[in-house]
Amino acid sequence: APKLIVSKVISAFCILVDLGFIAGCIKMKQSTNTTMAQGGVILQAIGIPIFSFIYTMIAVKLTDIENWETNTRYQDELTSKLTIFNFINSYTALAYAIFIPHRWVVNGTCDKDKRGCFEELSNQLMATFIIQIGTNNFLQTIIGYVKYRMNYANLTLTLRN
């Protein structure tokens, strides 16, 4: 039971850190300064896959420490941790933009009485998705290369001995 409590506390802390990051990005996106608003979009788009990658490593370690009796239970617990975190990580800022439009003012162009904020939202979504694709591809390339180099180094050492 103590391992489960520690795991839940660490997971909750990771979620709070992520929410703090998202709140900072939202605050930047509300800026009337165009550069600051665009910086918030870019920072969030880069941060989402990075936070997801880091939390995936943490969640695997936490689930390993919990030492579940069956592989099915292990997979269920890991899946629930990752689903909750990734949902919060990926969709909190979008939910904020959709459900609280009066606060979603980017460069003063959001007119909720006439057009709504859908133009700004669509721009934010497009930028976020494009940058996330690039960031994910970059991370996967770097991770693959590092694993390749580590395996190559281990093989070289094994052949020398």
Side-chain angles (χ1 to χ4, degrees), residues 3 5 25 33 40 43-44 48 54 74-75 89-90 98 103 107 111 117-118 133 140-141 146 151 153-154:
K3 291 178 183 178
I5 293 171
C25 291
N33 180 330
L43 183 62
Q44 181 181 345
I48 288 172
I54 292 169
Y74 174 90
Q75 293 296 327
N89 185 39
S90 298
I98 293 167
R103 295 185 157 267
N107 303 329
D111 185 358
C117 297
F118 291 108
I133 289 169
Q140 292 304 317
T141 302
V146 168
N151 288 338
N154 287 338

Side-chain angles (χ1 to χ4, degrees), residues 112-136:
K112 66 177 182 159
D113 295 328
K114 293 182 182 173
R115 291 184 335 214
C117 297
F118 291 108
E119 184 176 338
E120 286 81 5
L121 180 60
S122 68
N123 292 339
Q124 304 283 336
L125 284 171
M126 182 66 72
T128 299
F129 291 144
I130 289 171
I131 293 170
Q132 277 187 353
I133 289 169
T135 304
N136 281 329

Side-chain angles (χ1 to χ4, degrees), residues 138-157:
F138 177 76
L139 284 174
Q140 292 304 317
T141 302
I142 294 298
I143 292 166
Y145 181 73
V146 168
K147 285 182 179 180
Y148 165 76
R149 295 300 294 173
M150 289 174 61
N151 288 338
Y152 182 77
N154 287 338
L155 181 62
T156 303
L157 287 175

